[in-house]
Amino acid sequence: MPEVTIHIGGRDFQVSCQEGEESFLTMAAGMLDDEAQVLSDQIGRMPEARMLLMAGLMLADKTAAVEDRIKVVEAELAERDAMIAQKEAEIEELRNAPPPEPEKVEVPVVPPQVYHALTELVARTEYLAHEIEAKAAPDEEEAEAEAEEAKIEAEEA
């Protein structure tokens, strides 16, 4: 079993650990030393056992706060995972849903009777318009006919 010398609060300690855990032990000792250094700066020199106890309690307090925060974050993640699962289920349901019924659009069709009646009305309207035009303006044919009559009367006279 390897032995590692760690430094905490200005003191050296020989500690045994499992093979391959040396770096983890050194890192943990560094965290404990940081807390012990804070205590030494605030209180000054104190017995070794008390210093280690206080540094350990300070680390335990920080660890508890981190664990509380982890629980909050895990709860938020669980909520988001549930929401994502719900949305994915909704998307899958929409993908598997049958397509909507086609919308029926009615196109108006003019019945043949109405078409023929309108055609006849158009023809009558055009005829009446032609008659009105003929009565409103002197017809060239009539003018020519009158001129022809006047010429014939003049020749007879």
Side-chain angles (χ1 to χ4, degrees), residues 105-111:
V105 178
E106 292 187 26
V107 179
V109 177
V110 179

Side-chain angles (χ1 to χ4, degrees), residues 7-155:
H7 307 282
I8 299 174
R11 298 179 182 113
D12 292 337
F13 299 93
Q14 283 295 115
V15 181
S16 297
C17 64
Q18 296 292 328
E19 189 72 34
E21 292 184 356
E22 295 91 332
S23 63
F24 297 113
L25 180 60
T26 305
M27 185 180 70
M31 293 170 67
L32 193 58
D33 184 47
D34 291 342
E35 296 301 322
Q37 190 60 46
V38 170
L39 287 171
S40 293
D41 292 345
Q42 290 177 353
I43 300 173
R45 192 122 175 108
M46 67 175 73
E48 178 180 295
R50 185 170 178 90
M51 178 194 60
L52 290 174
L53 173 66
M54 295 298 291
L57 288 173
M58 291 171 65
L59 281 176
D61 183 52
K62 287 183 179 182
T63 302
V66 168
E67 286 176 353
D68 289 345
R69 180 67 185 136
I70 287 172
K71 287 178 185 175
V72 169
V73 170
E74 285 175 343
E76 289 173 358
L77 285 174
E79 278 182 36
R80 289 185 184 162
D81 287 346
M83 189 180 343
I84 289 170
Q86 178 186 2
K87 296 297 180 188
E88 286 174 346
E90 288 176 11
I91 289 171
E92 193 62 31
E93 183 179 321
L94 288 172
R95 282 186 184 144
N96 295 332
E101 288 290 321
E103 187 176 327
K104 292 182 181 180
V105 178
E106 292 187 26
V107 179
V109 177
V110 179
Q113 302 88 347
V114 174
Y115 177 76
H116 293 305
L118 289 174
T119 303
E120 187 177 322
L121 281 173
V122 168
R124 283 184 185 173
T125 305
E126 286 177 353
Y127 173 76
L128 289 174
H130 180 60
E131 287 292 315
I132 291 171
E133 286 176 359
K135 288 183 181 177
D139 192 49
E140 289 182 13
E141 291 177 12
E142 285 181 21
E144 285 179 17
E146 287 178 12
E148 196 65 36
E149 281 179 26
K151 184 179 177 187
I152 294 174
E153 284 179 13
E155 286 178 3

